[in-house]
Amino acid sequence: MSNTDRDLIAELANVLTAQSYSQVVVRNYCAYARDFLAYLAQHEIPITTVKPPQVAQYLRYATIAFRKRRGRSPAPHWHSIPRSGIHALLRLAKGQWPPEPEVVGPEAALRHEICFKYETWLREERGLAAASIVALLAEARYFLVWQLDRGGAQSLNVLSVRDIDLYMGARSPGQRRVSLKDYAERLRSLLRYMYRTRYVASDLAAHVVSPMLYAYEGVPSILEPDQIATVLETTRRDKSPMGLRDYAILMLLATYGLRSGEVRNLTIEDIDWRSESLRVRHSKTGACSFLPLLPQVGEAMLVYLRHGRPRTDRREVFMRNRAPYRPLRNLASEVRRRLSAAGVKPPGKSGPHIFRHARAVEMLRASVPQKVIGDLLGHRSTEATVPYLKLATEDLRAIALDVPGSEVLA
């Protein structure tokens, strides 16, 4: 091994250690990275020119070598360990891994150009949130791949209503009506942009047909108070770092009815221990609320911060339990795992939002005014609160609620 490769391995070990990987993982990753560098040297491939197919080719080679050396095939997921070490090495050597996909051919170049400009327009001119831009771009890429593969780059000049109908028909199999409506709305946005920028000759946005959805037609899942108590108690008995984290998360969901993103984006600075308050940045409206930090919630979060949260410079409260330590991306898997462990099976969806529905219904049953419920949930209007209350029909009959449009016009 050359001195350059040795220096690279030593730097990789330092980077992994700084990211709080265990020493066992650091040794394994460096060992597989060292073998990969030896393979590259044998085939005279500079590391700066490595591409994904060459990594895949090496993993096949390493699997064959494993079989010859040990007389048996490796475990089904064995390759994930050397691959992780190699990817860490390549991120260090190349600055980015995996690399951006290559743009080859006129169709790919046109698709890349439209998506790049469309993303810039969505961000700078429309000022949309990052999550909205990701969803709109995903549909844009899907549509452009479908259309350009069918008719080539020139097909956009003669894009017709029939093409739009065929695309939506191809999009339909296996999709729920609410998903198709989302796809249609995103496609309309792209078509309006493409007409505005003269990529297509006519504005076809109005011709995108989507399924009809009726207000409040879907019935959400809901947890009863005894089910919530069971889930919390089962999770509380788990004293592992993951258990402490999940219990604090569930306490926030069940007590305040927060959205998943509001819990994930919570930072150390959002907790004011002196005034016993909690700052919540509402992910949909962008507004902030200050909620009282109830003792049982504060205790759960304090125990996690002291005994469960990994050491990291990140300011987000809830982190992954494995290196590299990053904020949680979503809470769905954690919530499903805790529901399953408690033997609680909701009739429908089983994500974090069911705690939000349950909290709204619980407050309604306690005769809390709808406006107050909406304020706690971070809603801008009372209409936004109605879907959360539709399961408590008997309770709604007993409480006077404001009905939009019920005012008598003079």
Side-chain angles (χ1 to χ4, degrees), residues 137-192:
L137 278 176
E139 191 63 28
R141 293 190 185 97
Y142 199 101
F143 171 75
L144 290 170
V145 167
W146 182 85
Q147 179 61 28
L148 296 177
D149 282 353
R150 290 174 65 244
Q154 70 279 4
S155 67
L156 292 184
N157 297 324
V158 292
L159 191 68
S160 65
V161 175
R162 182 174 181 275
D163 294 322
I164 301 302
D165 290 342
L166 287 173
Y167 172 75
M168 290 304 297
R171 226 27 186 128
S172 298
Q175 300 294 335
R176 297 168 59 239
R177 288 164 56 242
V178 66
S179 298
L180 289 175
K181 186 173 179 63
D182 288 341
Y183 300 156
E185 290 175 353
R186 295 165 190 166
L187 180 59
R188 291 188 191 106
S189 173
L190 174 67
L191 292 174
R192 282 192 292 266

Side-chain angles (χ1 to χ4, degrees), residues 106-145:
E107 290 80 14
L110 178 60
R111 182 179 70 251
H112 180 78
E113 174 189 318
I114 294 174
C115 288
F116 178 78
K117 293 181 178 179
Y118 183 46
E119 179 183 10
T120 302
W121 179 73
L122 292 171
R123 183 179 61 255
E124 298 183 359
E125 294 196 30
R126 293 197 59 194
L128 297 184
S132 299
I133 293 175
V134 168
L136 288 163
L137 278 176
E139 191 63 28
R141 293 190 185 97
Y142 199 101
F143 171 75
L144 290 170
V145 167

Side-chain angles (χ1 to χ4, degrees), residues 53-86:
Q54 291 167 320
V55 175
Q57 183 179 0
Y58 168 75
L59 290 174
R60 289 193 293 270
Y61 163 84
T63 302
I64 294 172
F66 183 103
R67 191 179 299 118
K68 289 181 178 179
R69 185 170 61 252
R70 304 197 181 187
R72 60 178 179 83
S73 296
H77 301 292
W78 167 85
H79 63 276
S80 65
I81 301 175
R83 182 175 58 197
S84 297
I86 292 167

Side-chain angles (χ1 to χ4, degrees), residues 206-226:
H207 299 281
V208 180
V209 179
S210 63
M212 180 68 71
L213 297 182
Y214 299 96
Y216 319 137
E217 67 176 57
V219 178
S221 299
I222 190 172
L223 295 176
E224 294 299 331
D226 60 330

Side-chain angles (χ1 to χ4, degrees), residues 308-325:
R309 187 174 184 269
R311 295 181 180 274
T312 173
D313 293 333
R314 295 299 297 255
R315 305 308 293 168
E316 291 86 356
V317 173
F318 298 108
M319 310 295 295
R320 283 170 28 118
N321 281 294
R322 294 177 59 187
Y325 298 126

Side-chain angles (χ1 to χ4, degrees), residues 183-361:
Y183 300 156
E185 290 175 353
R186 295 165 190 166
L187 180 59
R188 291 188 191 106
S189 173
L190 174 67
L191 292 174
R192 282 192 292 266
Y193 170 78
M194 292 174 65
Y195 173 67
R196 178 176 177 270
T197 51
R198 299 295 184 266
Y199 283 108
V200 296
S202 57
D203 187 358
L204 301 173
H207 299 281
V208 180
V209 179
S210 63
M212 180 68 71
L213 297 182
Y214 299 96
Y216 319 137
E217 67 176 57
V219 178
S221 299
I222 190 172
L223 295 176
E224 294 299 331
D226 60 330
Q227 293 177 308
I228 294 176
T230 300
V231 175
L232 291 174
E233 178 59 26
T234 302
T235 308
R236 188 183 64 83
R237 291 197 295 265
D238 183 354
K239 301 301 182 181
S240 69
M242 185 180 293
L244 299 178
R245 182 198 66 190
D246 291 352
Y247 179 64
I249 289 173
L250 291 174
M251 286 296 293
L252 287 167
L253 294 173
T255 304
Y256 302 111
L258 300 182
R259 298 181 180 94
S260 174
E262 293 163 355
V263 174
R264 289 186 288 107
N265 294 330
L266 201 65
T267 67
I268 302 295
E269 290 75 18
D270 291 328
I271 310 171
D272 190 335
W273 300 102
R274 290 184 180 273
S275 64
E276 297 183 345
S277 67
L278 189 68
R279 181 176 61 186
V280 176
R281 290 183 293 275
H282 297 291
S283 51
K284 283 195 174 181
T285 64
C288 284
S289 293
F290 290 87
L291 304 175
L293 183 60
L294 300 180
Q296 62 270 31
V297 179
E299 179 65 22
M301 296 183 69
L302 189 60
V303 171
Y304 166 65
L305 290 172
R306 285 178 172 174
H307 306 293
R309 187 174 184 269
R311 295 181 180 274
T312 173
D313 293 333
R314 295 299 297 255
R315 305 308 293 168
E316 291 86 356
V317 173
F318 298 108
M319 310 295 295
R320 283 170 28 118
N321 281 294
R322 294 177 59 187
Y325 298 126
R326 295 190 295 262
L328 291 176
R329 292 184 178 179
N330 64 71
L331 308 182
S333 60
E334 283 76 13
V335 170
R336 284 196 292 267
R337 182 174 63 250
R338 296 302 172 178
L339 290 172
S340 176
V344 174
K345 298 180 180 179
K349 295 181 179 179
S350 57
H353 227 65
I354 60 175
F355 288 92
R356 187 169 171 85
H357 287 289
R359 186 70 181 107
V361 172

Side-chain angles (χ1 to χ4, degrees), residues 34-56:
R34 194 179 294 110
D35 291 344
F36 181 63
L37 287 173
Y39 172 85
L40 294 180
Q42 180 182 352
H43 291 80
E44 299 182 348
I45 302 173
I47 192 171
T48 54
T49 66
V50 170
K51 296 179 180 178
Q54 291 167 320
V55 175

